[in-house]
Amino acid sequence: MSFVEYGETIKDGDTAIVFLGHESMFPVKVQHGTVTQTKYGVIRHSTDLIGKKYGSKVTCSKGGWVFILHPTPELWTMNLPHRTQILYSTDISIITMMLELKPGSIVCESGTGSGSLSHALIRTVAPTGHLYTVEFHQQRAEKAREEFREHGVEHLVTVTNQDVCKNGFGVSNIADAVFLDIPSPWEAIGHAKSALKAEGGRICSFSPCIEQVQRTCLTMEEYGFTEINTLEILLRVYNVRTISLQIPDLGKAAEDNSSTGFDSSNPSNQGSLCPNLQQGTVQFKSGVPLREMVGHTGYLTFATKS
């Protein structure tokens, strides 16, 4: 199993996603002799998982069932253990596009955090690219190394435990892109410029506060970065629902009756008039926004090394 290569069958030691529903799923490490408890009953790894194909429907001990999914960066973002606040798919998608990443790209990242963005970057630059990620916190760096090894991507990433603001990324003039998600990104702009290739490299800084953005932009200008721009991504989800609306009465029936000499004041005609005035309903599918939407996550500042 690897996050960048699809495997047909579930093997001992794999990381799999137990899917109970769109709003209920969780990761599990497959191990011989282990069991996993769900609300539908027990899943026995030896008999229910190992050797089965990814995507299989597995029946639990209480008679309910779940699907076992192959892990992807998108599913991992939704289910990973949070060691820090993470980036979600909305921001990740624009980051990978605006940094112009592709297979073979060299990327520097700080900090690693919970590895949400890291997995997406690795999948994007594979199979010939490489990610150099720096994490200040030693325990988080060690846990990130362990996860990358378990997920079969350790050959595509180098994890370094150091302060990027003081010691940089450990590489010079090779990176196609640099990503910063640290409290004081302006202190690492000089090291980011040194890590980027001679010309045309891209940089992105993620900051939750506009004051951080202002100081970072000023520092980017001092170091000669161009095409500096900041944006914010807001996600608004629409659900497709069946809507019922009343058909409006445009008065056509009344006009037709008057043109044919129909006398509505005649008591004998009241019964025939009422059915024509009854309004029906029509049903159709419509996109309806949720009452609540995801708000501000952070500002993304992009620039180019000239």
Side-chain angles (χ1 to χ4, degrees):
M1 183 278 303
S2 172
F3 271 58
V4 297
E5 297 176 0
Y6 182 75
E8 287 288 338
T9 58
I10 305 171
K11 298 180 177 62
D12 189 13
D14 282 2
T15 298
I17 305 297
V18 180
F19 180 89
L20 293 82
H22 289 289
E23 302 297 328
S24 179
M25 61 184 92
F26 59 89
V28 62
K29 184 175 180 179
V30 179
Q31 292 179 312
H32 185 77
T34 303
V35 298
T36 296
Q37 294 282 352
T38 74
K39 62 181 180 181
Y40 300 127
V42 172
I43 301 174
R44 296 174 175 83
H45 293 200
S46 301
T47 57
D48 297 333
L49 298 184
I50 297 177
K52 300 289 182 66
K53 287 188 176 182
Y54 279 105
S56 298
K57 183 178 179 180
V58 174
T59 302
C60 304
S61 60
K62 293 182 180 179
W65 47 265
V66 298
F67 287 105
I68 308 299
L69 305 181
H70 192 283
T72 65
E74 291 82 7
L75 289 175
W76 186 245
T77 291
M78 298 170 62
N79 297 281
L80 58 79
H82 285 229
R83 300 183 289 273
T84 59
Q85 181 58 263
I86 69 169
L87 291 176
Y88 290 92
S89 298
T90 308
D91 290 316
I92 292 173
S93 59
I94 197 70
I95 290 170
T96 55
M97 185 188 73
M98 295 293 287
L99 289 181
E100 302 174 3
L101 301 182
K102 59 186 181 300
S105 295
I106 305 298
V107 186
C108 292
E109 175 198 26
S110 183
T112 311
S114 301
S116 174
L117 176 65
S118 303
H119 283 80
L121 294 177
I122 291 170
R123 199 258 308 270
T124 303
V125 305
T128 56
H130 200 84
L131 171 66
Y132 294 90
T133 182
V134 178
E135 173 55 52
F136 176 78
H137 194 276
Q138 182 179 357
Q139 291 181 336
R140 288 201 293 263
E142 293 174 353
K143 185 61 178 177
R145 289 194 193 98
E146 179 184 344
E147 285 181 350
F148 293 142
R149 184 171 56 254
E150 292 178 351
H151 298 166
V153 297
E154 71 276 8
H155 62 291
L156 297 169
V157 56
T158 299
V159 182
T160 305
N161 173 221
Q162 64 186 27
D163 186 351
V164 70
C165 297
K166 295 181 179 179
N167 307 113
F169 294 93
V171 297
S172 299
N173 302 320
I174 64 170
D176 297 288
V178 170
F179 176 79
L180 299 174
D181 183 6
I182 54 179
S184 54
W186 55 87
E187 296 182 2
I189 298 299
H191 294 297
K193 184 176 181 179
S194 299
L196 288 169
K197 59 187 181 181
E199 186 175 355
R202 295 278 288 168
I203 183 174
C204 174
S205 174
F206 177 91
S207 298
C209 302
I210 195 63
E211 291 81 8
Q212 294 170 300
V213 174
Q214 293 169 338
R215 192 165 178 180
T216 301
C217 289
L218 291 173
T219 307
M220 286 180 174
E221 287 184 343
E222 292 175 3
Y223 278 92
F225 283 90
T226 60
E227 299 179 341
I228 302 173
N229 65 88
T230 299
L231 50 87
E232 179 185 29
I233 308 299
L234 299 177
L235 176 65
R236 189 176 190 184
V237 178
Y238 282 75
N239 284 341
V240 177
R241 298 179 180 175
T242 301
I243 305 297
S244 296
L245 288 181
Q246 195 172 40
I247 300 175
D249 180 11
L250 303 179
K252 183 176 180 181
E255 294 176 359
D256 292 342
N257 292 335
S258 61
S259 62
T260 56
F262 185 85
D263 185 6
S264 59
S265 61
N266 190 339
S268 62
N269 292 329
Q270 292 294 328
S272 59
L273 178 62
C274 292
N276 293 333
L277 295 180
Q278 288 181 352
Q279 299 180 19
T281 59
V282 60
Q283 293 185 337
F284 60 94
K285 298 289 185 180
S286 176
V288 180
L290 301 180
R291 297 196 176 190
E292 297 180 354
M293 63 174 284
V294 177
H296 172 74
T297 57
Y299 300 103
L300 294 169
T301 301
F302 295 92
T304 303
K305 180 179 178 181
S306 61

